[in-house]
Coordinates of all heavy atoms in Angstrom, one line a residue:
E1 N 0.8 -1.2 0.0 CA 0.0 0.0 0.0 C 0.9 1.3 0.0 O 0.4 2.3 -0.5 CB -0.9 0.0 1.2 CG -2.0 -1.1 1.2 CD -2.8 -1.2 2.5 OE1 -2.1 -1.1 3.5 OE2 -4.0 -1.5 2.4
I2 N 2.1 1.2 0.5 CA 2.9 2.3 0.5 C 3.5 2.7 -0.8 O 3.7 3.8 -1.2 CB 4.1 2.1 1.5 CG1 3.6 2.0 3.0 CG2 5.2 3.2 1.4 CD1 4.7 1.7 4.0
A3 N 3.7 1.6 -1.7 CA 4.4 1.8 -3.0 C 3.9 3.0 -3.8 O 4.7 3.7 -4.3 CB 4.3 0.5 -3.7
P4 N 2.5 3.2 -4.0 CA 2.1 4.2 -4.8 C 2.5 5.6 -4.4 O 2.5 6.6 -5.2 CB 0.6 4.1 -4.8 CG 0.3 2.7 -4.4 CD 1.4 2.4 -3.5
V5 N 2.9 5.8 -3.1 CA 3.2 7.1 -2.6 C 4.5 7.6 -3.2 O 4.7 8.8 -3.5 CB 3.3 7.1 -1.1 CG1 3.7 8.5 -0.5 CG2 1.9 6.7 -0.5
V6 N 5.5 6.7 -3.4 CA 6.9 7.1 -3.7 C 7.1 7.5 -5.1 O 7.8 8.5 -5.3 CB 7.8 5.9 -3.3 CG1 9.2 6.3 -3.7 CG2 7.6 5.5 -1.9
P7 N 6.5 6.9 -6.1 CA 6.9 7.2 -7.5 C 6.4 8.4 -8.2 O 6.4 8.6 -9.3 CB 6.4 6.0 -8.3 CG 5.1 5.6 -7.6 CD 5.4 5.9 -6.1
K8 N 6.0 9.4 -7.3 CA 5.5 10.7 -7.9 C 6.4 11.3 -8.9 O 6.0 12.0 -9.8 CB 5.2 11.6 -6.8 CG 3.8 11.3 -6.1 CD 2.7 11.6 -7.0 CE 1.4 11.2 -6.3 NZ 0.2 11.4 -7.2
N9 N 7.7 11.2 -8.7 CA 8.7 11.8 -9.6 C 9.3 10.8 -10.6 O 10.3 11.1 -11.2 CB 9.8 12.5 -8.8 CG 9.2 13.7 -7.9 OD1 8.3 14.4 -8.4 ND2 9.6 13.8 -6.7
K10 N 8.7 9.7 -10.7 CA 9.3 8.6 -11.5 C 8.8 8.7 -13.0 O 9.2 7.9 -13.8 CB 9.0 7.3 -11.0 CG 9.5 7.0 -9.5 CD 11.0 7.0 -9.6 CE 11.6 6.6 -8.2 NZ 13.0 6.6 -8.1
K11 N 7.8 9.5 -13.3 CA 7.2 9.6 -14.6 C 8.3 10.0 -15.6 O 9.1 11.0 -15.3 CB 6.1 10.6 -14.7 CG 4.8 10.0 -14.0 CD 4.1 9.1 -14.9 CE 2.7 8.7 -14.3 NZ 2.0 7.8 -15.2
Q12 N 8.4 9.4 -16.7 CA 9.3 9.8 -17.8 C 8.5 10.5 -18.9 O 7.6 10.0 -19.5 CB 9.9 8.5 -18.4 CG 10.8 7.8 -17.5 CD 12.0 8.6 -16.9 OE1 12.6 9.3 -17.7 NE2 12.2 8.5 -15.6
Y13 N 8.8 11.8 -19.0 CA 8.0 12.6 -19.9 C 8.6 12.6 -21.3 O 9.8 12.6 -21.5 CB 7.9 14.1 -19.4 CG 7.2 14.1 -18.1 CD1 8.0 14.3 -16.9 CD2 5.8 14.0 -18.0 CE1 7.3 14.4 -15.7 CE2 5.2 14.0 -16.7 CZ 6.0 14.2 -15.6 OH 5.4 14.3 -14.4
D14 N 7.8 12.7 -22.3 CA 8.2 12.7 -23.7 C 7.5 13.9 -24.4 O 6.5 13.7 -25.0 CB 7.9 11.4 -24.4 CG 8.4 11.4 -25.9 OD1 9.1 12.4 -26.3 OD2 8.1 10.5 -26.6
I15 N 8.0 15.1 -24.1 CA 7.4 16.3 -24.6 C 8.4 17.3 -25.1 O 9.4 17.5 -24.4 CB 6.5 16.9 -23.5 CG1 5.8 18.2 -24.1 CG2 7.2 17.2 -22.2 CD1 4.7 18.8 -23.1
S16 N 8.1 17.9 -26.2 CA 9.1 18.9 -26.8 C 8.3 19.9 -27.7 O 7.2 19.5 -28.2 CB 10.2 18.3 -27.5 OG 9.8 17.5 -28.6
V17 N 8.8 21.0 -27.9 CA 8.3 22.0 -28.9 C 8.8 21.6 -30.3 O 10.0 21.4 -30.4 CB 8.7 23.4 -28.5 CG1 8.3 24.4 -29.6 CG2 8.1 23.9 -27.2
V18 N 7.9 21.5 -31.2 CA 8.4 21.3 -32.6 C 9.2 22.4 -33.1 O 8.7 23.6 -33.0 CB 7.1 21.0 -33.5 CG1 7.6 20.9 -35.0 CG2 6.3 19.8 -33.0
P19 N 10.4 22.2 -33.6 CA 11.3 23.3 -34.0 C 10.6 24.2 -35.0 O 9.9 23.7 -35.9 CB 12.5 22.6 -34.6 CG 12.5 21.3 -33.9 CD 11.1 20.9 -33.7
G20 N 10.7 25.5 -34.9 CA 10.2 26.5 -35.8 C 8.7 26.8 -35.6 O 8.2 27.6 -36.5
T21 N 8.1 26.4 -34.5 CA 6.7 26.7 -34.3 C 6.4 27.6 -33.2 O 5.3 28.0 -32.9 CB 5.9 25.4 -34.1 OG1 6.3 24.8 -32.8 CG2 6.1 24.4 -35.2
D22 N 7.5 28.1 -32.5 CA 7.3 29.0 -31.3 C 8.2 30.2 -31.6 O 9.4 30.1 -31.7 CB 7.7 28.2 -30.0 CG 7.4 29.0 -28.8 OD1 7.2 30.3 -28.9 OD2 7.3 28.4 -27.7
V23 N 7.6 31.4 -31.5 CA 8.3 32.6 -31.8 C 9.1 33.1 -30.6 O 9.9 34.0 -30.8 CB 7.3 33.7 -32.2 CG1 6.5 34.2 -31.0 CG2 8.0 34.9 -32.9
T24 N 9.0 32.4 -29.5 CA 9.7 32.9 -28.3 C 11.2 32.9 -28.5 O 11.8 31.9 -28.9 CB 9.4 31.9 -27.1 OG1 8.0 31.8 -26.9 CG2 10.1 32.4 -25.8
G25 N 11.8 34.1 -28.3 CA 13.2 34.3 -28.5 C 13.6 34.5 -29.9 O 14.8 34.6 -30.2
E26 N 12.7 34.4 -30.8 CA 13.0 34.5 -32.3 C 12.4 35.8 -32.9 O 12.5 36.0 -34.1 CB 12.4 33.3 -33.0 CG 13.0 32.0 -32.5 CD 14.5 31.9 -32.8 OE1 14.9 32.5 -33.8 OE2 15.2 31.2 -32.1
S27 N 11.7 36.6 -32.2 CA 11.0 37.8 -32.7 C 12.0 38.9 -33.1 O 12.9 39.3 -32.3 CB 10.0 38.4 -31.7 OG 9.4 39.5 -32.2
T28 N 12.0 39.3 -34.4 CA 12.9 40.3 -34.9 C 12.2 41.4 -35.6 O 12.9 42.3 -36.1 CB 13.9 39.6 -35.9 OG1 13.1 39.0 -37.0 CG2 14.7 38.5 -35.3
C29 N 10.9 41.4 -35.8 CA 10.2 42.4 -36.6 C 10.2 43.8 -35.9 O 10.2 43.9 -34.7 CB 8.8 42.0 -36.9 SG 7.7 41.9 -35.4

């Protein structure tokens, strides 16, 4: 019963911004 408490930070995320789709840091106009 204790086991589910521990792995809160064990998730492996697979998320990223697709290159060229976010203007953040790229605005020049």
Side-chain angles (χ1 to χ4, degrees):
E1 291 171 324
I2 293 174
V5 176
V6 181
K8 281 292 178 179
N9 297 318
K10 300 292 186 182
K11 286 280 186 179
Q12 297 298 315
Y13 300 104
D14 181 8
I15 178 172
S16 61
V17 172
V18 175
T21 67
D22 190 341
V23 75
T24 304
E26 301 294 332
S27 180
T28 60
C29 67

